[in-house]
Amino acid sequence: MNRIIKLFIWLVVVSVATPAVAFHQDYTPIDPYLLQQSYLRTINTQGSWSYQSQENKEVVVAVLDSGIDISHPDLVNNIWINSDEIPSDGLDNDGNSYIDDINGWDFVDSDNEPTPVLIDGYDYTAVNHGTVIAGVIAASANDEGIVGINPKVKIMDLRILDAKGMGNTLVLSQAIDYAVENGASIINLSLVGKSIDESLKKSITNAYNSGVMIVAASGNESKSGIDLDIEPAYPVCDFDNINRVLGVAAVDSQNKLSVFSNYGEKCIDISAPGVNIYSTVYHDLTDINFSSYYRGGWSGTSVAAPMVSGALSLIKMNYPNLRPADIYSILLSSSDSLQAASPLIYKKLGQGLLNIGAALDAADKYYNQTIKLVLAPQAGLSPEILIMNDKGNLLSSFLAYDKKFKGGVNISTGDLENNGSYEIVTAPLSKGGPHVRIFSNQGSLLNEFFAYDAKYLGGVNLALGDLYGDKNKQIVTAPVTGGSEIKIFNSSGTLLRSFLAYDAKFKGGVNIAVGDIDNDGKAEIITAPAAIGGPHIKVFNSEGLLLYQFFAYDKKMTKGVWLTVGDVDFDGWQDIIVVPAKNSAPQVKAFNFNGTPLYDFMAYSQYLTVGIRLQARDLSGDLRPEILALPNKGSSALLRIYDHNGLEKDSVYLRNPQDKNGYNVDILVD
C-alpha cells in the first residue's frame, strides 16, 4: 500500500525583526529584494557568497516537490540539465528509462515536464511550493529579485506532489531512486507523512549508502507542533536507528521554536528559520493568481529544510572530497545553541540553529588542517619524543628527559592556554621522579614541575582538560603505581586541587581521562585502576566530588583498565571509552556518563593480551572523535584508527614491524 505524503508550508503575513549580526565578506549581491531576506543574516549566509576553495565543482540538489517554474528569471540558469539526453528526440538516450528527461521528471503525470500543473481546485500554496523551495536554495545572484543560499548550485526538478500538495510513497521512492542514479548530491524533502513502507525504506537506504545526503522537514501542525519522539513522522524520523535523513525544525525571528513546528530529540538534527520567508513563486500569466515572480510570508518547516540543503551544497561545492558523514558532522557541530531561546525544549531542536558561515569555516579547517602523531617510548628506550605524519614518517624529534633515562614516557597534548597552539606534556612512565614537563609543538621546553614528592619513582599518568569552563586546560595527574591521589595543576605548575580516587589502602595506581561527560561546559575527571584493581570506573568533578561510578567489565577482571573520552554518539556529551590494560582480550567498550553501554568492538585479535592504549581524538576536523589504538610493549606498533562507531578506518605501522618496544601516542593539530 502506498502511503500518503503532503507538503508543509503555508502563507502568512507577520512582521520579522532583523537581528544585528556582524559579517565579513568580499562580495555582496545587490539583488533588489535581498533586504527582505532577513533569514540570510540569521543563519550567517552572506559571507558564504564569496567563499571559494580551489576545488569548486558543480553540485546538484534534487527538489522532490510540486514542480518548479524552470523558466523563472531567478532560477532558469540554475536548473539541472541532463547532458546525456538529446532534447525532444523521443528517445531514452542515456538509458535511464526516462525519455527526454532534460531537467528532471514529473512522477505525478509520468512525463518530462516537471513544472507545476494548474488543475481545477488547485491549492495556491501547493502550486508555488516547489518554486519557493528552489528559490531559497538556488536563486541566482543576478542583480534581479532575490538570492539563494547557494546561487551557483544546480536544481534537479522532480515533481511528486500534485496541485493540491498530495502524493504517495511510491512516487517518492521512484524520485529518490532517480535522483541517486542521475547524480544528485543532496535531496530536499519538504514533505511529510505519518507512515512509511518498505519501498521508501529501500530507496532512502540506497541513497544513504550511495553517499547522497537527504534533508527532510519535520512537519507542521496548525495549532502547535507535536513531539515526534511520541508521534513519529516520515521520512524525517529514522526507521532503524541509523540517521540517514537530516531532520529540520523551524524557528521564528527570535530563534524560538515556531509554534507550528514539530520537534523531537530522536528525529530533529538541526533548526532553521521558518517564518515569513521571502522567495520565488510560480509565474503564469494565464492565471491572475500567478502574476508575480516573488512573494513573502511563507512559513513552515518546508522553508526551513531547503536552508539546510543549501548549506550542505555550499560545503560540498567548496570541499568536494568530504564524505557525507563528515559534512553532516561539520554542519551540526557548527550550529548555534538554542538553549537560551528555547530553554525547555532545545534538546528536541537538534544540535542548534544553522550557521552557514561557521560551517564553512569548520569545513575549511577540516580540509586544510595538519594532523601529526606524537609518539613516546615505553620502558626500555631513550626518552625521545617522535613527531610523525599520519603515514608514520618521522618529521622531528626531541628528548623529553636525559637520554640515559629508559623508564618510558607518558604524554598528553592539547592547547593549554587557548592560544591556538598545541603543547606536549610529558611525565615518566616508571622508575623516574614525578617530573612533569611542558614543551611547545616544536619541542622547546616551556615549563616543568614535580607533581608528587621528588622521591616518588612510580610513574605519573597525565590528562588535559578544561575543568573550569574558561577555555584553558588544566593538567591532571595520577600515580601509575603506589596510590590513587589525583592532582590538578594549571599550566604554570600551580597545584589547584588534590583528592583520592579510591580507598587510601589502594596502591595499584590510577589511569585517568578528562572530558565533559555531563555537558555542563566543564570537564570531569574519569578514573580507573591501573595495573591492578577491578574495572571500577569513577567520575569526579574538579572539586573531587564523586558524580558517577560503574564497573566496565566483570568485577573479577583485576588487571586494570585504560580509558579515554570522546563523543561517540554525537549527542554533545563526551562518552567513556575503555579497554583492559593487560592480560585480557582488547575488547573496547563505550559508555555514557552513568555507565549505560553504547557499543563494544575488538580492536585487535582476541589473542593479543599485552594490553593496548586508547586515545579518542578528532583527526578529521569534523568534531567527532576517531579512536586511536596502539598495543603496549611486546607487540608491534600497529596503530589502528576507528571511527566514532568503532568501525576501522585505517591502520599504519608507526615503527618497523619488528620493533616491539611499545609506544604511547597522541596528536598535534596545526
Side-chain angles (χ1 to χ4, degrees):
M1 179 180 179
N2 299 324
R3 316 296 184 181
I4 300 298
I5 55 174
K6 60 181 179 179
L7 56 84
F8 268 97
I9 190 174
W10 57 71
L11 185 62
V12 297
V13 180
V14 297
S15 61
V16 179
T18 301
V21 182
F23 299 100
H24 57 280
Q25 59 190 83
D26 300 317
Y27 166 69
T28 302
I30 57 173
D31 299 65
Y33 298 128
L34 181 61
L35 292 177
Q36 299 191 47
Q37 296 179 268
S38 60
Y39 64 88
L40 294 175
R41 295 183 286 280
T42 300
I43 58 176
N44 194 11
T45 300
Q46 289 179 303
S48 69
W49 292 317
S50 57
Y51 219 103
Q52 297 284 332
S53 80
Q54 297 299 312
E55 302 187 48
N56 201 267
K57 66 169 286 185
E58 181 176 289
V59 172
V60 178
V61 178
V63 175
L64 282 59
D65 218 281
S66 63
I68 299 168
D69 183 354
I70 62 175
S71 62
H72 193 290
D74 243 344
L75 299 173
V76 63
N77 292 326
N78 286 344
I79 299 298
W80 172 73
I81 297 174
N82 184 357
S83 59
D84 294 327
E85 197 75 10
I86 300 173
S88 304
D89 68 349
L91 300 174
D92 180 19
N93 305 111
D94 59 1
N96 68 355
S97 301
Y98 297 91
I99 297 173
D100 291 338
D101 54 323
I102 301 300
N103 303 125
W105 193 257
D106 186 340
F107 290 89
V108 179
D109 295 331
S110 299
D111 62 40
N112 60 3
E113 296 183 6
T115 54
V117 177
L118 299 182
I119 60 174
D120 290 342
Y122 68 76
D123 181 274
Y124 176 82
T125 295
V127 173
N128 281 299
H129 196 263
T131 306
V132 173
I133 302 309
V136 171
I137 298 171
S140 299
N142 56 359
D143 304 339
E144 181 175 356
I146 66 169
V147 61
I149 287 171
N150 187 352
K152 296 181 180 180
V153 76
K154 298 300 181 183
I155 296 294
M156 181 186 290
D157 184 6
L158 303 178
R159 183 172 180 252
I160 64 166
L161 300 173
D162 62 22
K164 296 181 180 180
M166 303 300 290
N168 61 68
T169 53
L170 175 61
V171 296
L172 176 57
S173 298
Q174 292 171 339
I176 291 174
D177 293 341
Y178 180 100
V180 173
E181 293 165 5
N182 290 278
S185 294
I186 299 148
I187 295 173
N188 187 91
L189 303 176
S190 291
L191 46 82
V192 74
K194 291 296 184 182
S195 58
I196 192 169
D197 58 24
E198 290 304 315
S199 67
L200 184 53
K201 290 180 181 178
K202 183 179 179 180
S203 295
I204 290 173
T205 300
N206 177 59
Y208 179 83
N209 292 339
S210 300
V212 178
M213 296 173 278
I214 303 177
V215 179
S218 66
N220 316 322
E221 299 297 327
S222 58
K223 294 183 179 180
S224 64
I226 62 174
D227 189 340
L228 297 176
D229 295 336
I230 300 173
E231 299 181 45
Y234 303 96
V236 63
C237 291
D238 308 330
F239 49 84
D240 60 0
N241 296 318
I242 297 176
N243 191 24
R244 299 182 177 92
V245 178
L246 282 185
V248 185
V251 297
D252 63 19
S253 62
Q254 304 302 313
N255 293 339
K256 297 179 180 180
L257 177 68
S258 300
V259 63
F260 52 76
S261 176
N262 294 339
Y263 52 91
E265 193 166 354
K266 297 178 182 178
C267 301
I268 304 303
D269 297 283
I270 197 166
S271 297
V275 175
N276 197 30
I277 303 303
Y278 199 91
S279 189
T280 51
V281 293
Y282 176 63
H283 180 73
D284 189 341
L285 292 178
T286 66
D287 190 319
I288 192 172
N289 291 321
F290 301 101
S291 59
S292 299
Y293 283 106
Y294 307 93
R295 185 163 184 177
W298 299 105
S299 293
T301 60
S302 277
V303 286
M307 297 185 194
V308 175
S309 295
L312 294 175
S313 75
L314 276 168
I315 299 173
K316 183 67 176 178
M317 180 177 289
N318 283 284
Y319 307 99
N321 294 327
L322 292 183
R323 302 172 304 163
D326 296 330
I327 296 175
Y328 281 175
S329 298
I330 289 167
L331 189 76
L332 300 181
S333 61
S334 304
S335 61
D336 296 327
S337 174
L338 290 170
Q339 184 172 1
S342 299
L344 300 180
I345 202 171
Y346 75 97
K347 290 185 178 180
K348 293 182 179 289
L349 303 182
Q351 295 296 307
L353 177 66
L354 177 66
N355 186 327
I356 294 177
L360 283 167
D361 286 345
D364 188 69
K365 180 181 179 181
Y366 166 95
Y367 219 65
N368 295 298
Q369 73 177 357
T370 301
I371 299 293
K372 299 175 182 177
L373 300 174
V374 184
L375 260 66
Q378 296 183 358
L381 296 176
S382 296
E384 186 179 23
I385 307 300
L386 309 175
I387 300 176
M388 320 177 84
N389 63 19
D390 58 359
K391 305 300 182 185
N393 301 317
L394 182 64
L395 302 175
S396 63
S397 65
F398 64 91
L399 287 172
Y401 301 95
D402 187 280
K403 64 181 180 180
K404 296 179 181 180
F405 173 70
K406 296 185 178 181
V409 181
N410 277 326
I411 55 171
S412 189
T413 66
D415 186 358
L416 286 173
E417 297 182 346
N418 192 35
N419 58 8
S421 179
Y422 266 48
E423 286 79 35
I424 303 170
V425 185
T426 69
L429 174 61
S430 65
K431 299 179 180 180
H435 192 181
V436 176
R437 289 185 136 187
I438 304 171
F439 297 88
S440 73
N441 56 19
Q442 302 297 317
S444 300
L445 181 63
L446 302 177
N447 195 23
E448 57 187 322
F449 61 91
F450 283 82
Y452 300 93
D453 187 283
K455 297 179 181 179
Y456 169 73
L457 303 177
V460 177
N461 283 321
L462 297 164
L464 311 182
D466 179 10
L467 297 172
Y468 302 109
D470 58 1
K471 306 299 183 183
N472 296 316
K473 287 183 171 58
Q474 288 73 48
I475 302 168
V476 183
T477 67
V480 175
T481 62
S484 68
E485 185 181 18
I486 308 299
K487 289 191 172 184
I488 303 170
F489 299 88
N490 62 18
S491 60
S492 299
T494 302
L495 178 64
L496 305 176
R497 176 75 62 174
S498 67
F499 61 91
L500 292 177
Y502 298 95
D503 188 276
K505 297 179 181 180
F506 175 73
K507 303 298 182 182
V510 180
N511 290 327
I512 51 174
V514 177
D516 186 7
I517 67 168
D518 61 3
N519 201 28
D520 65 349
K522 300 178 182 180
E524 285 74 44
I525 300 168
I526 304 95
T527 69
I532 60 174
H536 191 184
I537 309 300
K538 289 188 172 184
V539 180
F540 300 88
N541 66 11
S542 61
E543 302 298 313
L545 177 67
L546 179 64
L547 303 176
Y548 313 100
Q549 58 181 324
F550 61 92
F551 285 84
Y553 301 92
D554 188 290
K555 293 182 180 179
K556 296 179 181 179
M557 194 272 281
T558 59
K559 300 298 182 180
V561 174
W562 185 260
L563 70 169
T564 187
V565 294
D567 184 5
V568 299
D569 55 0
F570 203 52
D571 62 353
W573 300 42
Q574 299 283 294
D575 305 300
I576 302 168
I577 309 164
V578 301
V579 69
K582 194 175 182 181
N583 293 350
S584 292
Q587 184 186 21
V588 178
K589 291 187 174 185
F591 302 87
N592 68 9
F593 66 96
N594 61 7
T596 301
L598 300 175
Y599 65 73
D600 66 274
F601 65 92
M602 201 68 69
Y604 296 85
S605 165
Q606 62 180 326
Y607 302 108
L608 189 152
T609 58
V610 299
I612 65 173
R613 293 200 172 194
L614 301 174
Q615 293 287 4
R617 298 288 187 261
D618 179 16
L619 301 182
S620 57
D622 63 354
L623 303 183
R624 287 193 177 188
E626 280 75 32
I627 299 170
L628 287 70
L630 194 63
N632 284 322
K633 187 174 182 176
S635 183
S636 300
L638 176 60
L639 175 70
R640 286 187 169 176
I641 301 173
Y642 297 87
D643 71 8
H644 61 281
N645 289 313
L647 300 175
E648 187 173 356
K649 295 176 63 175
D650 201 1
S651 64
V652 61
Y653 282 101
L654 298 179
R655 308 296 286 166
N656 186 300
Q658 282 70 51
D659 183 346
K660 298 184 179 181
N661 287 291
Y663 296 86
N664 302 320
V665 66
D666 213 322
I667 69 166
L668 289 176
V669 178
D670 290 342

